[in-house]
Amino acid sequence: MVRDTFLRGFYRQFARILTIGAESRAHYRRLGYPEQRLIFAPYCVDTSVFAPASGAPAIRSEFNLPDDQIVLLFFGQLRRAKAPIKLIAAPPVTNCRARGLRCFFGRR
């Protein structure tokens, strides 16, 4: 209750608030923020960037990665909250039948 009271006052100072989904929007509405001042701006990824590229065979060759080997790239901070370790556990859960798995972690 104290938290909600604080947040109502805090949110009132903003001319607009970006929401990332239905739950986010419901949160602001529940606290009385006007619907007309909420702007939908979801987290999004341009999936066309991840489409198979013509250079994929060359990259696989450079890193000695067979075609039947899954490669996972993790882009993000290596923090416990991001759970990068789940990448290692993912193939058995997804019934992956690939010959092998390589994970590349890096820092920009």
Side-chain angles (χ1 to χ4, degrees):
M1 181 160 163
V2 172
R3 179 178 178 264
D4 285 356
T5 301
F6 168 79
L7 289 175
R8 279 187 190 97
F10 181 69
Y11 294 153
R12 255 187 250 129
Q13 70 180 320
F14 302 107
R16 300 279 187 274
I17 291 181
L18 303 177
T19 63
I20 59 171
E23 289 182 32
S24 172
R25 182 177 228 72
H27 165 79
Y28 295 113
R29 291 298 300 132
R30 182 180 64 78
L31 294 173
Y33 199 83
E35 177 71 33
Q36 66 274 16
R37 291 172 44 195
L38 295 173
I39 299 169
F40 182 59
Y43 290 132
C44 59
V45 174
D46 179 1
T47 57
S48 67
V49 173
F50 300 103
S54 60
I59 293 169
R60 283 187 168 276
S61 176
E62 180 181 344
F63 288 97
N64 196 27
L65 301 169
D67 289 339
D68 63 344
Q69 187 171 58
I70 290 178
V71 177
L72 298 177
L73 299 174
F74 176 85
F75 293 91
Q77 297 174 340
L78 293 175
R79 296 180 21 205
R80 183 175 291 139
K82 300 282 184 178
I85 197 73
K86 288 184 177 182
L87 288 174
I88 295 167
V93 174
T94 60
N95 294 321
C96 175
R97 290 185 178 24
R99 189 172 70 94
L101 170 70
R102 296 238 182 126
C103 293
F104 292 88
F105 296 87
R107 183 171 179 200
R108 191 173 164 201

